[in-house]
């Protein structure tokens, strides 16, 4: 990459500066007349499709400025999206059938109305919320009527708006395991997981969404209902397959309305231990040992540093933290298997070994499911704790383990002078680290100084070391600028644009995400 | 003071159980088992007594199949000193009744002479809640059930009732206590303790070796799931409420 391009890139990245974003937003204005006209047309379509019109078409209150639709138009961290107000608001659509989605998309094509597909709105990169007031939010939350598991083929068919934890529980009740499990499972939608190619804690053992997706139904940007994959038999080598276009597509190519996912036989044993280690070298050794000694039994290996645990204690609290001691890093090891008699023993033996060789300082092993849930609860609260701490800057990258500590130290150096500090947690098994810079509100809260200090330096550093700049959080509004230069490359981007043109010729879907899809001269 | 603690291996609290095909029992195949939560609380109480130097020895006892030894290991990992495993192939969730369990524990107590016996208030599979009282009766010692707080110095126990709590005074030891939820919060089993537990002793003997004659248990006629909870309804006025309570629910 030559230095001129680099400069241009740095300039574009700085546009992410919040102040300038606000300036941009004022341009994305939508008149009251247009809102009313669109709203009436949406209502007509909803009624034609037999929908409950009041629940399906949510019109913003442009006079009073009530905040009831803010939960659809802003992200849960309050960082991305737009708030409703006087004279400003977004229409929110919540269809409950594929047919209705199709009707809406067809209308939006005709009227040139921009659409933001949205699942549970739990994303971290602003991929599911509008950039301005001229976008219609199309939420899948009411698309949840189908949840049916076929145990003979091990495939579950789900409407895209089914909440992930419901899918997980449904599978568990039938002795099966749904391969996606992420912290936001109580709210996120399974369709959204596919659109953002979510990772999660079972990625190492059970594979990615790309591996497990059997088929899906989507309404393309053109308004066609496309059913891909979906043969009842999983082993179906049809040759060229459109499934993967939508995985990670973040709604740019179509709106997923139905998902077919491969499920696994739920292991009957589950053991969790969380151990404290003194340094990064020990973390690496522990991770390696776990794979060596327990191999396929390991289902998750996660790490949390002491700082984030202190934050969890302070900001989230709750019980079950009795195991947190003074060690610098805590590693959670989970095994899942089918041998009631030996699986617990295997983990115990492993723990004994690592204790004896001095790798481990302290730790506990869960006695039963309740303690297992408590320990995982702490791990899953890391994101929430950081969010409550004040200003937070999140970086979700994939790096070789030996680079985590070094890169972490470099990040610390850059932000220390600005009052920020780094906390780390992540999925050791998949080499996916969550670097989070926190600045307590008293020290200064949100600000672009930390962003400028870290970006794009961190992304470049990660790529230089062969890592990924977005391991599982996706691109969204946050990393769109990086697509061409750092992620896909110029040639790759051209092909992607071609595909985008095919699926969404009028460019109505997710404009603003993956910025390079936008016509260059706009 | 020597403390004897009973621990039972039951279906894990978080597991959703299913009725077996013959409708005579719960299906236990491949189901996760762990220590009864109230037994965990009992063990925790005993271990705390040892840490406070009020108890000199904590003995854990369990009745069940081979796998109950695991439950004893968990008790040892929490801090118990040694374990006694009374082996049996009878199903401990329904074939071995409370009175039989009480008789077995009474025999063990005869041999071990504990000063205090702490049990869980009930097991989450049988839910009978009788063993503690029956044991005290067989041993002819005081019983303090549903204990939320035990004070060995003052010889008082704060126990849970349906309307709140009450403080009872027990005449002295030996005595039987059954642990309720608020008694304490059980500790995690730390790694060093788990390792130490492997070296602690567990004595195993069968019910026959113990020389206990079992009482006849209950005969299980049928096991079924409770009917699904129905949605609530709104009534127009008080008269409507009274009418429904009288004529539909038959509670007044």
């Amino acid at each position: 990459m030559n230095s001129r391009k680099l400069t241009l890139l740095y300039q574009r990245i700085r546009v992410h500066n919040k102040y300038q974003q606000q300036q941009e937003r004022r341009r994305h204005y939508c008149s009251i007349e247009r809102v009313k006209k669109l709203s009436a047309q949406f209502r007509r379509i909803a009624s034609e499709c037999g929908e409950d019109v009041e629940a399906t078409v949510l019109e913003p209150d442009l006079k009073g400025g009530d905040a009831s639709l803010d939960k659809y138009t802003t992200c849960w961290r309050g960082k991305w999206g737009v708030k409703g107000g006087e004279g400003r608001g977004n229409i929110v659509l919540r269809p409950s059938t594929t047919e209705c989605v199709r009707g809406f998309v067809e209308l939006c094509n005709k009227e040139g109305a921009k659409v933001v597909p949205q699942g549970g709105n739990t994303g971290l990169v602003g991929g599911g919320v509008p950039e301005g007031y001229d976008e219609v939010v199309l939420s899948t939350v009411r698309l949840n009527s189908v949840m049916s598991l076929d145990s003979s083929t091990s495939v579950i068919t789900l409407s895209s708006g089914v909440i992930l934890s419901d899918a997980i529980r449904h599978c568990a009740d039938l002795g099966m395991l749904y391969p996606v499990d992420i912290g936001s499972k109580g709210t996120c939608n399974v369709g959204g997981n596919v659109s953002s190619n979510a990772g999660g804690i079972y990625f190492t053992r059970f594979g990615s969404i790309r591996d497990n997706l059997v088929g899906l139904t989507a309404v393309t940007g053109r308004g066609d209902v496309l059913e891909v994959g979906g043969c009842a038999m999983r082993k179906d080598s049809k040759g060229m397959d459109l499934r993967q276009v939508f995985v990670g597509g973040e709604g740019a190519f179509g709106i997923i309305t139905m998902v077919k996912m491969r499920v696994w036989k739920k292991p009957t044993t589950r053991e969790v231990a969380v151990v404290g280690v003194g340094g990064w070298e020990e973390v690496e050794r522990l991770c390696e040992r776990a794979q060596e000694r327990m191999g396929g039994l390991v289902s998750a290996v996660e790490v949390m540093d002491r700082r984030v645990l202190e934050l969890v204690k302070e900001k989230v609290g709750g019980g079950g933290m009795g195991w947190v001691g003074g060690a610098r890093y805590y590693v959670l090891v989970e095994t899942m298997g089918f041998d009631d008699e030996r699986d617990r023993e295997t983990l115990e033996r492993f723990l004994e070994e690592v204790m004896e060789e001095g790798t481990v300082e302290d730790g506990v092993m869960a006695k039963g499911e309740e303690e297992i849930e408590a320990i995982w609860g702490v791990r899953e609260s890391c994101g929430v704790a950081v969010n409550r701490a004040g200003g937070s800057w999140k970086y979700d990258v994939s790096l070789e383990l030996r680079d985590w500590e070094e890169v972490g130290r470099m990040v610390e150096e850059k932000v220390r002078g600005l009052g920020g500090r780094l906390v780390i947690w992540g999925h050791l098994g998949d080499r996916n680290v969550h670097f989070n810079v926190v600045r307590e509100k008293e020290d200064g809260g949100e600000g672009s100084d930390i962003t400028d200090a870290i970006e794009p330096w961190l992304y470049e550093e990660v790529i230089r070391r062969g890592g990924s700049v977005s391991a599982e959080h996706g691109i969204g509004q946050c990393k769109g600028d990086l697509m061409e230069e750092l992620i896909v490359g110029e040639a790759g981007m051209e092909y992607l644009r071609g595909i985008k043109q095919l699926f969404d010729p009028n460019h109505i879907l997710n404009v603003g995400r993956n910025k390079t899809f936008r016509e260059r001269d706009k | 003071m020597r403390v004897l603690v009973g621990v039972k291996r039951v279906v894990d609290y978080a597991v959703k159980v299913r009725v077996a095909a013959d409708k005579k029992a719960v299906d236990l195949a491949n189901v996760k088992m762990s220590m009864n939560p109230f037994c965990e609380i009992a063990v925790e109480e005993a271990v705390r007594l040892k840490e406070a130097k009020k108890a000199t020895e904590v003995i854990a006892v369990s009745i069940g199949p081979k796998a109950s030894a695991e439950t004893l290991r968990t008790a040892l990992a929490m801090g118990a000193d040694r374990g006694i495993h009374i082996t049996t192939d009878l199903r401990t969730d329904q074939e071995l009744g409370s009175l039989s369990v009480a008789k077995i524990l009474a025999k063990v107590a005869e041999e071990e002479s504990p000063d205090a016996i702490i049990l869980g208030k009930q097991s989450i599979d049988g839910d009978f809640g009788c063993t503690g009282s029956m044991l005290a009766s067989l041993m002819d010692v005081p019983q303090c059930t549903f204990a939320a707080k035990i004070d060995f110095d003052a010889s008082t126990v704060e126990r849970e009732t349906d309307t709140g709590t009450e403080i009872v005074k027990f005449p002295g030891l030996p005595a039987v206590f059954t642990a309720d939820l608020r008694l304490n919060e059980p500790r995690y089993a730390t790694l060093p303790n788990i390792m130490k537990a492997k070296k602690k002793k567990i004595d195993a003997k069968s019910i026959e070796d113990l020389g206990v004659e079992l009482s006849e248990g209950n005969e299980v006629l049928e096991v079924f799931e409770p009917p699904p909870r129905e949605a609530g309804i709104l009534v127009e006025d008080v008269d409507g409420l009274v009418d429904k309570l009288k004529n539909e629910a038959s509670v007044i």
Side-chain angles (χ1 to χ4, degrees):
Chain A
M1 209 195 321
N2 66 43
S3 64
R4 188 189 82 87
K5 271 193 167 181
L6 212 61
T7 317
L8 286 177
L9 172 64
Y10 286 19
Q11 274 179 4
R12 289 222 302 277
I13 299 258
R14 253 167 234 138
V15 170
H16 280 308
N17 178 295
K18 201 177 178 182
Y19 170 71
Q20 279 171 293
Q21 271 183 334
Q22 285 175 353
Q23 299 284 71
E24 269 205 36
R25 256 178 236 139
R26 282 189 201 116
R27 278 188 261 133
H28 298 293
Y29 173 68
C30 189
S31 72
I32 296 184
E33 295 78 41
R34 181 154 159 84
V35 170
K36 291 236 175 276
K37 176 172 173 230
L38 281 174
S39 186
Q41 287 173 304
F42 287 134
R43 274 185 221 280
R44 182 179 48 83
I45 292 173
S47 150
E48 276 167 19
C49 292
E51 294 272 14
D52 170 355
V53 181
E54 289 313 307
T56 305
V57 181
L58 303 180
E59 193 182 314
D61 177 2
L62 295 175
K63 280 186 230 117
D66 79 294
S68 64
L69 296 182
D70 280 355
K71 65 175 187 230
Y72 293 101
T73 59
T74 57
C75 81
W76 68 277
R77 289 172 62 214
K79 184 162 179 188
W80 303 98
V82 291
K83 284 201 160 107
E86 207 175 302
R88 330 187 278 282
N90 304 77
I91 298 176
V92 175
L93 301 171
R94 307 184 310 170
S96 69
T97 60
T98 302
E99 195 43 46
C100 191
V101 174
R102 200 200 58 76
F104 285 154
V105 171
E106 198 174 33
L107 177 72
C108 290
N109 265 288
K110 245 187 252 145
E111 294 287 334
K114 297 191 252 184
V115 178
V116 180
Q118 182 184 98
N121 195 10
T122 56
L124 293 161
V125 289
V129 290
E131 246 193 336
Y133 300 105
D134 54 350
E135 294 169 81
V136 173
V137 176
L138 202 156
S139 165
T140 58
V141 294
R142 287 181 69 241
L143 259 161
N144 57 9
S145 50
V146 176
M147 181 157 70
S148 125
L149 197 157
D150 182 343
S151 20
S152 56
T153 54
S154 293
V155 172
I156 186 168
T157 304
L158 299 158
S159 297
S160 60
V162 167
I163 294 178
L164 179 57
S165 63
D166 289 342
I168 293 174
R169 205 175 310 128
H170 183 76
C171 291
D173 286 347
L174 296 167
M176 304 299 269
L177 181 133
Y178 190 80
V180 182
D181 195 329
I182 56 180
S184 53
K185 58 190 162 197
T187 315
C188 65
N189 294 169
V190 296
N193 296 149
V194 173
S195 264
S196 54
N197 192 16
I201 57 177
Y202 291 141
F203 183 91
T204 325
R205 171 91 176 254
F206 297 101
S208 67
I209 288 188
R210 288 196 204 278
D211 300 332
N212 289 299
L213 185 68
V214 171
L216 56 79
T217 306
V219 175
T220 66
R222 264 171 37 179
D224 293 325
V225 176
L226 210 60
E227 228 183 274
V228 290
C231 167
M233 296 297 112
R234 270 188 297 110
K235 199 161 185 184
D236 169 30
S237 170
K238 269 212 255 282
M240 287 169 249
D241 180 13
L242 289 173
R243 242 181 298 171
Q244 305 297 352
V245 172
F246 294 95
V247 180
E250 301 189 8
F253 304 114
I255 299 166
I256 300 177
T257 58
M258 196 86 91
V259 163
K260 282 196 161 88
M261 196 74 83
R262 183 242 207 276
V263 292
W264 300 72
K265 195 98 189 76
K266 186 166 174 13
T268 51
T269 69
R270 185 178 175 202
E271 305 291 346
V272 165
V274 59
V275 296
V277 297
W280 194 254
E281 216 183 281
E282 283 79 11
V283 172
E284 284 185 70
R285 200 180 317 144
L286 193 64
C287 189
E288 222 179 270
R289 277 275 189 284
Q291 290 294 342
E292 271 171 30
R293 309 299 282 129
M294 299 188 290
L297 212 53
V298 176
S299 59
V301 187
E302 306 276 310
V303 69
M304 294 162 274
D305 74 0
R306 191 182 47 216
R307 283 182 175 178
V308 74
L309 286 173
E310 280 167 7
L311 269 180
V312 172
K313 225 185 216 167
E314 199 190 311
K315 307 285 179 187
V316 179
M321 292 196 75
W323 47 271
V324 180
R328 186 134 169 251
Y329 296 102
Y330 278 88
V331 177
L332 188 164
V333 179
E334 183 187 70
T335 63
M336 289 215 248
F338 295 90
D339 191 341
D340 296 318
E341 290 192 22
R342 286 197 213 103
D343 287 346
R344 191 179 172 86
E345 224 180 275
T346 305
L347 182 58
E348 273 181 21
R349 208 180 9 205
F350 165 72
L351 294 170
E352 190 164 14
E353 274 175 31
V354 291
M355 255 187 72
E356 268 167 20
E357 65 175 37
T359 306
V360 160
E361 274 180 24
D362 62 10
V364 304
M365 190 160 148
K367 286 187 232 97
E369 280 296 315
E370 206 175 331
E371 286 184 357
I372 291 179
E373 295 298 327
I375 294 173
W376 270 114
V378 174
R379 160 65 183 86
E380 284 168 356
S381 301
C382 292
V384 176
V386 158
N387 201 41
R388 290 184 190 171
S392 59
W393 291 258
K394 308 181 83 68
Y395 298 97
D396 158 51
V397 297
S398 280
L399 275 175
E400 255 315 317
L401 287 190
R402 74 185 108 81
D403 291 330
W404 290 29
E405 197 182 30
E406 208 180 309
V407 176
R409 224 176 304 130
M410 291 158 96
V411 174
E412 265 267 305
E413 262 169 49
K414 288 192 184 277
V415 301
R416 199 177 305 136
L418 302 166
R421 54 194 185 102
L422 178 70
V423 300
I424 296 180
W425 72 89
H427 315 279
L428 282 174
D430 340 317
R431 308 300 192 250
N432 175 200
V433 56
H434 296 297
F435 286 130
N436 276 250
V437 174
V438 184
R439 183 160 66 187
E440 331 278 332
K441 285 218 155 74
E442 307 82 58
D443 299 333
E446 301 273 352
S448 65
D449 49 353
I450 290 191
T451 315
D452 290 338
I454 303 180
E455 301 174 35
W457 162 81
L458 178 63
Y459 297 136
E460 284 190 320
E461 186 66 30
V462 166
I463 293 197
R464 198 173 61 80
R465 290 171 188 251
S468 157
V469 299
S470 178
E472 60 179 7
H473 289 175
I475 304 295
Q477 295 185 42
C478 183
K479 297 173 193 161
D481 274 337
L482 308 174
M483 280 290 287
E484 181 160 349
E485 269 82 4
L486 294 181
I487 301 174
V488 179
E490 211 173 304
M493 209 55 228
E494 213 177 300
Y495 280 90
L496 277 182
R497 274 194 210 106
I499 296 176
K500 169 71 168 171
Q501 190 61 33
L502 179 64
F503 278 84
D504 180 22
N506 294 319
H507 277 251
I508 58 164
L509 290 182
N510 263 13
V511 178
R513 254 68 27 186
N514 281 317
K515 283 183 166 52
T516 35
F517 279 145
R518 248 196 243 149
E519 263 119 67
R520 288 301 211 159
D521 39 12
K522 265 213 188 112
Chain B
M1 178 170 67
R2 186 184 289 176
V3 183
L4 182 70
V5 184
V7 297
K8 185 177 180 187
R9 180 175 179 263
V10 299
V11 175
D12 189 294
Y13 166 70
V15 166
K16 185 174 174 175
V17 288
R18 240 178 294 272
V19 178
D22 62 358
K23 293 189 122 194
K24 290 283 187 189
V26 158
D27 186 7
L28 290 180
N30 291 328
V31 158
K32 179 152 194 185
M33 311 285 276
S34 22
M35 190 190 290
N36 185 38
F38 296 108
C39 298
E40 250 187 77
I41 296 174
V43 173
E44 175 66 25
E45 194 65 13
V47 172
R48 285 188 191 188
L49 285 171
K50 215 177 93 168
E51 286 171 348
K53 306 252 196 287
K54 295 206 169 91
T56 48
E57 194 187 15
V58 174
I59 309 164
V61 56
S62 189
I63 306 166
K66 194 171 94 179
S68 285
E70 247 174 69
T71 314
L72 280 168
R73 288 270 166 234
T74 306
L76 296 173
M78 284 174 75
D81 296 297
R82 58 183 169 92
I84 299 176
H85 182 189
I86 308 298
T87 59
T88 176
D89 283 319
L90 293 169
R91 276 184 76 128
T92 50
D93 62 339
Q94 50 191 59
E95 286 170 358
L96 196 66
S98 304
L99 187 53
S100 297
V101 173
K103 282 187 175 176
I104 296 171
L105 291 178
K107 194 75 201 306
V108 171
E110 209 182 283
E111 295 183 354
E112 299 291 334
S113 311
D115 301 290
I117 304 178
I118 312 182
L119 307 179
K121 71 170 178 180
Q122 67 196 67
S123 65
I124 60 172
D125 49 13
D127 274 322
F128 283 97
C130 297
T131 309
S133 301
M134 288 175 171
L135 175 61
S137 178
L138 289 171
M139 291 175 63
D140 198 21
V141 297
Q143 60 175 275
C144 302
T145 53
F146 306 109
K149 194 153 185 248
I150 310 177
D151 186 346
F152 281 95
D153 297 320
S155 292
T156 57
V157 166
E158 185 180 348
R159 58 189 297 273
E160 308 277 12
T161 67
D162 280 339
T163 48
T165 61
E166 64 179 7
I167 310 230
V168 294
K169 196 164 157 77
F170 55 93
L173 301 175
V176 173
F177 305 87
T178 70
D180 208 319
L181 210 54
R182 289 196 300 158
L183 185 58
N184 59 50
E185 195 180 312
R187 63 193 61 195
Y188 283 100
T190 64
L191 294 189
N193 285 342
I194 293 177
M195 304 305 148
K196 269 190 230 148
K198 294 203 167 154
K199 305 195 182 76
K200 294 182 183 174
K201 204 150 155 288
I202 294 184
D203 288 312
K205 46 173 101 150
S206 71
I207 299 179
E208 293 76 41
D209 290 340
L210 207 53
V212 171
E213 205 185 295
L214 297 181
S215 305
E216 211 178 295
N218 296 322
E219 185 198 336
V220 175
L221 298 175
E222 190 192 347
V223 176
F224 56 89
E225 281 191 24
R229 196 176 159 166
E230 284 175 28
I233 49 169
L234 290 174
V235 292
E236 284 290 322
D237 50 24
V238 177
D239 290 328
L241 176 64
V242 172
D243 173 55
K244 292 246 183 254
L245 287 175
K246 200 170 190 187
N247 301 322
E248 275 184 44
S250 307
V251 291
I252 51 170

